[in-house]
Amino acid sequence: SRAALDRLSNKVRTRAAQLLDGPDGADGPARQAAAARAEARVQMLESRAAEASESLGRLRGEAERLAPEQGECHTSLPEDTVPGDAAEAQRLLRTANAELAAYDDELTQARTEHAALLRSHRMATEAADAFEETASLLRDLLRDPQPQASAQESAQPQETEPYPGTPAEARQAAAEARRSVRGCAADLSAAEQSLREASDVLVRHANSSRYEQVRTPARQQIRELPAAALPEHAAAWAEAFAPRLRVLSDELEQLERNRDSIVDRLRGLVESSLATLRSAQRLSRLPEGLGEWSGQEFLRIRFDDPDQAVLSERLGEVVDEATRTAVAKNSDLRRDGMSLLLRGVHAALEPRGVSVEILKPDAVLRAERVPVGQMGDVFSGGQLLTAAIALYCTMAALRGNDRGHERDRHAGTLFLDNPIGRANATYLLELQRAVADALGVQLLYTTGLFDTTALAEFPLVIRLRNDADLRAGLKYISVEEHLRPGLPEQDPGEEAVHGEITATRMFRRPEGGEREPRVPAQADGTRGEL
């Protein structure tokens, strides 16, 4: 420490001794606070020194940038404007700026006057050009052919008053006059062209093959007169044709009203037919207890409901087509009511048409639908027969619904000619009977096959045999002999009754209301089945 102290100069040691004798050196904290203040003052001084150095460098750079490239000054001033000090230089600078502003104002005013003179010159030039253009238009008009004047008028000189307006107004008036002349000429050409076209149309109309049987004198005149002479007779022909036009217009209006009435009636029938399609899908709903088929619709008919305006337009085209074919020769288009209705329904369902899908019968009754157009390719013989029976039952139920028998579930009886030969599978027979029972159709199967598995599905089987009358050549179906003793006997003295049911068997519905195996269901009554 002594060695470090000895290395310091006497000035530093003297100043340190003075500080130690003062209040800042009384104790350790005071010395630390004094040292911190001294350090802060040193930093402040160094910062000021750095800022001063930076400002000095910037000012030197500015001085170098503003220094004249040649010589010691930018310009030489008169002796009376050379400043002696900075204050006089500021005063002279203010005076020079004021004079510069005054000169700038004078320059701006001079430029404004120069621009006004240029505008005046340009306007004068444009006026001269306009006058020249107007003069050219007038010269063109003078060169146009003028109508020949009489000798007396040509002998007398014509005085022309000067135009009172400006050249622009004169040019505009001349241009409008020429434009009007050109427009009138174009209108005249168009009118002549329209007249020629109308004459050609009239001649072609009179020569049309549709009017070969018309023998009126006017038609003969139209065909023989030249096209240029037709306008002269147009008024007389129009007056002669006016009464006939009124008669034909009345007839056409009557035909249009009849056509609208037919279209309205056909629209009602088409809408009823579309409602029938929807009813067919609704009535084809299957009963419960059929696996995935339970509650499913056997038929699915989909189509887009046509808009009323579009439907009327399409049905009008159908009626017009039927009307055209009625008067045409060698037309094979049928015009009966059903054909017309079918064409109306087809037109109503355009462009997408109708999509019909049917459930495919199989052993597990999967809810698989097949388009009706693919039934022949996808279904087997038994499946086709089952689908046909289901479709018949649906149509029978639909017919009963249309007749107001929706609550009465008896939609008719269907006799089947040996269907077991094609559909002898047990699930097909069960499906046929389930669909028929749901839609209120009674199925009667007739077969000569002795398939015990298939016959075991039916609750009632009656054996019949064929008897032939060799003398009359007639054939009869009679009950087997071992069943005859149980049938009612007919009195020989009474008149023979034909169509009598001679074989019956009675079954009663169970209390639960459900069909038991091999027992037919009948609500509050009996049923006889073959």
Side-chain angles (χ1 to χ4, degrees), residues 481-494:
E481 291 296 335
H482 69 277
L483 297 176
R484 187 171 297 279
L487 299 178
E489 296 181 359
Q490 183 178 359
D491 189 355
E494 296 179 358

Side-chain angles (χ1 to χ4, degrees), residues 136-148 174 177-178 181-182:
S136 300
L137 293 175
L138 295 176
R139 285 193 294 270
D140 293 340
L141 291 175
L142 292 176
R143 284 196 297 269
D144 290 339
Q146 299 292 335
Q148 295 181 358
R178 293 180 63 85
V181 171
R182 288 194 298 269

Side-chain angles (χ1 to χ4, degrees), residues 436-455:
D437 183 68
L439 298 176
V441 178
Q442 184 179 12
L443 300 179
L444 300 180
Y445 294 75
T446 62
T447 180
L449 301 178
F450 192 71
D451 188 344
T452 58
T453 303
L455 296 178

Side-chain angles (χ1 to χ4, degrees), residues 61 71 101 103 108 119-120 151 189-190 209 282 310 339 352 389 392 415 417 440 464:
Y103 292 149
T108 302
R119 285 195 300 271
S120 300
S189 301
S209 59
R282 177 176 55 84
V310 178
S339 299
R352 297 182 60 181
I389 293 174
Y392 172 82
F415 285 87
D417 184 10
L464 303 175

Side-chain angles (χ1 to χ4, degrees), residues 16-17 19-39:
L19 294 174
L20 289 176
D21 293 337
D24 293 333
D27 53 7
R31 288 193 297 272
Q32 291 180 359
R37 289 193 299 272
E39 184 68 24

Side-chain angles (χ1 to χ4, degrees), residues 44 52 60 179 206 231 255 308 333 349 504 523:
M44 181 185 65
R60 287 178 178 177
R179 190 182 304 110
L255 291 175
Q308 292 296 326
L333 184 66
L349 298 180
T504 61

Side-chain angles (χ1 to χ4, degrees), residues 65-367:
R65 183 178 63 81
L66 298 177
E69 297 180 357
Q70 297 179 357
E72 296 180 355
C73 59
H74 292 280
T75 183
S76 59
L77 299 175
E79 294 180 357
D80 56 347
T81 57
V82 175
D85 53 8
E88 186 180 1
Q90 292 291 338
R91 182 180 60 77
L92 293 174
L93 180 61
R94 287 193 296 271
T95 304
N97 288 333
E99 294 178 355
L100 179 61
Y103 292 149
D104 288 339
D105 294 339
E106 294 178 359
L107 177 62
T108 302
Q109 183 178 1
R111 287 177 177 176
T112 303
E113 294 176 356
H114 182 263
L117 293 176
L118 290 178
R119 285 195 300 271
S120 300
H121 181 267
R122 184 170 62 255
M123 293 174 60
T125 305
E126 291 178 354
D129 295 340
F131 182 79
E132 181 64 24
E133 182 179 357
T134 304
S136 300
L137 293 175
L138 295 176
R139 285 193 294 270
D140 293 340
L141 291 175
L142 292 176
R143 284 196 297 269
D144 290 339
Q146 299 292 335
Q148 295 181 358
S150 62
Q152 184 178 0
E153 293 178 354
S154 60
Q156 296 178 358
Q158 297 180 358
E159 296 182 359
T160 305
E161 296 181 358
Y163 186 76
T166 61
E169 295 175 352
R171 180 181 58 186
Q172 182 178 1
E176 291 178 355
R178 293 180 63 85
R179 190 182 304 110
S180 177
V181 171
R182 288 194 298 269
C184 293
D187 294 341
L188 179 60
S189 301
E192 293 176 350
Q193 180 66 23
S194 300
L195 182 60
R196 288 192 296 269
E197 293 178 356
S199 300
D200 295 339
V201 170
L202 180 61
V203 173
R204 287 196 301 270
H205 193 71
N207 293 329
S208 177
S209 59
R210 298 170 55 188
Y211 308 108
E212 288 295 335
Q213 299 180 358
V214 179
R215 302 299 181 184
T216 59
R219 178 174 180 268
Q220 191 67 21
Q221 292 176 1
I222 293 173
R223 297 179 62 184
E224 295 178 355
L225 288 176
L230 292 179
E232 300 177 1
H233 305 275
W237 291 338
E239 184 178 359
F241 289 155
R244 183 57 179 165
L245 177 60
R246 286 193 296 269
V247 173
L248 293 177
S249 299
D250 294 340
E251 293 179 356
L252 289 176
E253 291 178 359
Q254 181 65 27
L255 291 175
E256 188 65 24
R257 287 194 295 268
N258 294 336
R259 176 184 178 274
D260 294 340
S261 177
I262 294 173
V263 170
D264 292 339
R265 177 58 178 164
L266 183 58
R267 183 175 67 248
L269 295 175
V270 169
E271 292 175 351
S272 177
S273 301
L274 298 180
T276 301
L277 292 178
R278 298 187 187 94
S279 299
Q281 177 176 339
R282 177 176 55 84
L283 292 175
S284 65
R285 187 176 299 276
L286 299 174
E288 299 295 334
L290 296 178
E292 294 185 11
W293 281 31
S294 299
Q296 294 282 342
E297 294 173 342
F298 185 75
L299 280 177
R300 178 177 291 175
I301 305 174
R302 293 180 296 180
F303 55 88
D304 295 335
D305 292 332
D307 183 73
Q308 292 296 326
V310 178
L311 178 59
S312 299
E313 182 180 357
R314 292 177 180 175
L315 294 182
E317 295 176 357
V318 172
V319 173
D320 294 341
E321 183 181 3
T323 306
R324 286 193 297 268
T325 56
V327 299
K329 297 180 180 179
N330 301 326
S331 176
D332 56 351
L333 184 66
R334 300 181 61 183
R335 293 186 300 278
D336 58 284
M338 182 56 66
S339 299
L340 186 62
L341 177 59
L342 290 177
R343 288 199 297 272
V345 173
H346 183 269
L349 298 180
E350 289 180 351
R352 297 182 60 181
V354 60
S355 173
V356 182
E357 294 179 344
I358 189 172
L359 288 173
K360 178 183 178 182
D362 55 9
V364 295
L365 297 180
R366 292 175 298 178

